[in-house]
């Protein structure tokens, strides 16, 4: 072979290799035995990967207090799912710090021995949701695609991708995949006062929302199960504080003595949420030499 031609061929092959390295690649399967939870991440090259979560939060359903009604509903839905029975996609909405994401993690820990797995997907990566579903569709496990603190601004691409996966795509959703999402917004999109002007009234007084409002409602309606969370009362907040302090090994007497401090802590934070209760318990236990 002509040496010049051979060098040209080598350079062409090297160029092709470099081009292939930056082109989007099919989503590969991770080591499914590495964890019960995975994160979908985009590399700088644009390639998506499923990364195992090495340290999954060890929260249990019994650790969550004052949300018994919400716990019962999501637990029943998840149990149906892992048993192969019909189950719904779930939207958990309401006050911040009340246990929405903790409840999803606790369900994962409870049902992982029965084959439940979780894939966390950021809002910006929801456009790749069909690829994720294709990868796991043939697996024997049951997968929760988890979107935390989900909300959209007008025109974001992940909005329509999520709508299609929930209900509306030509292809049927995989029987081993559900979407669990948490949000502080009931309808997941910003709502403006001017949109109220788009409502119309019929002659008999019936109210019909306009197209903009209908579009915003349509996404949340595709979740079959809505679970709402509400701000805690003072007694509920103190009960959660007591539960967390107990888990850190604080004595009942010390817990009772810590009640005024817990209330001041919540007042300074402007919230009596489960998250604030947990943060107070960690600070108090750490200040008194209790191991986490």
């Amino acid at each position: 072979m002509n040496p010049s031609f051979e060098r040209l061929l080598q350079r062409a092959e090297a160029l092709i290799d470099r081009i292939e390295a930056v082109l989007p690649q099919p989503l590969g399967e991770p080591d499914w035995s590495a964890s019960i939870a995975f994160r979908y991440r985009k590399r700088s090259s644009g390639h998506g990967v499923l990364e195992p979560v090495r340290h999954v939060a060890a929260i249990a359903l019994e650790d969550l207090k004052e949300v018994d009604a919400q716990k019962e509903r999501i637990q029943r839905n998840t149990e149906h799912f892992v048993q192969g029975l019909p189950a719904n996609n779930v939207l958990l909405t309401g006050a911040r710090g009340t246990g929405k994401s903790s409840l999803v993690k606790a369900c994962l820990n409870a049902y992982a021995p029965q084959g439940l797995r979780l894939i966390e997907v950021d809002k910006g990566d929801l456009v790749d949701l069909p690829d994720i579903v294709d990868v796991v569709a043939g697996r024997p496990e049951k997968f929760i695609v988890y979107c935390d603190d989900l909300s959209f601004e007008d025109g974001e691409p992940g909005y329509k991708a999520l709508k299609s996966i929930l209900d509306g795509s030509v292809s049927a959703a995989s029987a081993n995949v559900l979407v669990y999402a948490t949000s502080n917004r009931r309808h997941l999109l910003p709502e403006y006062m001017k949109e109220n002007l788009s409502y119309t009234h019929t002659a008999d007084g019936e109210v019909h929302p306009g197209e903009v409002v209908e579009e915003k409602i349509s996404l949340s309606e595709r979740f079959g199960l809505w679970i709402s969370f509400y701000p805690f009362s003072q007694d509920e907040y103190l009960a959660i504080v007591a539960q967390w302090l107990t888990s850190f090994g604080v004595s009942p007497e010390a817990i009772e003595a810590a009640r005024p401090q817990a209330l001041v802590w919540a007042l300074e934070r402007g919230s009596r949420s489960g998250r604030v209760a947990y943060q107070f318990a960690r600070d108090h236990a750490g200040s008194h030499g209790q191991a986490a």
Side-chain angles (χ1 to χ4, degrees):
M1 182 182 293
N2 186 300
S4 298
F5 180 76
E6 185 174 357
R7 287 195 300 271
L8 180 62
L9 185 61
Q10 290 173 348
R11 292 178 63 185
E13 290 175 344
L15 179 60
I16 291 172
D17 290 341
R18 292 174 62 185
I19 293 173
E20 288 180 342
V22 299
L23 289 175
Q25 302 293 321
L27 180 61
E29 293 198 34
D31 177 6
W32 294 113
S33 64
S35 180
I36 60 173
F38 300 82
R39 288 192 185 97
Y40 179 75
R41 290 289 182 265
K42 278 283 190 67
R43 301 300 191 195
S44 57
S45 62
H47 300 165
V49 294
L50 289 170
E51 300 175 343
V53 177
R54 300 298 179 183
H55 303 286
V56 180
I59 190 166
L61 286 167
E62 53 268 23
D63 292 334
L64 301 173
K65 305 297 183 184
E66 307 300 332
V67 288
D68 292 340
Q70 294 91 333
K71 187 192 306 183
E72 190 275 332
R73 295 182 70 196
I74 194 172
Q75 189 173 358
R76 183 179 69 246
N77 191 73
T78 307
E79 189 167 338
H80 290 170
F81 181 45
V82 298
Q83 290 176 354
L85 300 172
N88 280 304
N89 299 301
V90 181
L91 177 61
L92 303 93
T93 65
R96 67 186 189 276
T98 47
K100 298 185 293 294
S101 58
S102 295
L103 198 47
V104 176
K105 297 169 191 172
C107 279
L108 171 65
N109 290 324
Y111 293 100
Q114 300 180 39
L116 185 65
R117 299 293 182 266
L118 182 143
I119 299 175
E120 184 175 6
V121 181
D122 290 337
K123 176 184 67 171
D125 295 328
L126 285 174
V127 291
D128 297 331
L129 205 48
D131 296 331
I132 298 172
V133 173
D134 286 345
V135 167
V136 304
R139 297 288 307 174
E141 302 90 349
K142 304 292 185 181
F143 290 90
I144 290 174
V145 173
Y146 173 52
C147 305
D148 189 29
D149 197 18
L150 182 64
S151 63
F152 295 100
E153 298 303 323
D154 292 334
E156 287 193 87
Y159 171 78
K160 293 191 180 298
L162 181 58
K163 280 182 67 175
S164 296
I165 287 295
L166 290 173
D167 181 22
S169 176
V170 172
S171 60
S174 176
N176 70 333
V177 177
L178 285 181
V179 176
Y180 281 21
T182 67
S183 179
N184 294 329
R185 290 176 178 169
R186 183 64 174 267
H187 292 140
L188 304 177
L189 282 166
E191 299 176 66
Y192 303 107
M193 183 64 68
K194 65 181 180 181
E195 291 166 0
N196 293 326
L197 301 177
S198 68
Y199 277 87
T200 59
H201 303 262
T202 59
D204 60 358
E206 187 176 0
V207 177
H208 296 276
E211 290 183 2
V212 175
V213 178
E214 285 280 11
E215 173 69 12
K216 294 190 173 184
I217 294 173
S218 67
L219 178 58
S220 56
E221 280 192 339
R222 295 179 190 226
F223 287 90
L225 183 61
W226 289 1
I227 301 178
S228 299
F229 290 72
Y230 307 97
F232 293 126
S233 67
Q234 179 172 297
D235 289 343
E236 289 170 336
Y237 166 74
L238 290 173
I240 298 170
V241 168
Q243 183 267 328
W244 282 119
L245 287 175
T246 300
S247 72
F248 291 133
V250 179
S251 68
E253 295 77 14
I255 292 174
E256 183 65 27
R259 286 167 60 93
Q261 300 170 51
L263 292 175
V264 171
W265 182 280
L267 185 63
E268 292 174 343
R269 293 298 187 91
S271 171
R272 290 195 298 256
S273 70
R275 181 181 296 125
V276 170
Y278 176 66
Q279 292 166 346
F280 168 77
R282 288 184 64 87
D283 178 80
H284 186 82
S287 299
H288 291 77
Q290 303 290 336

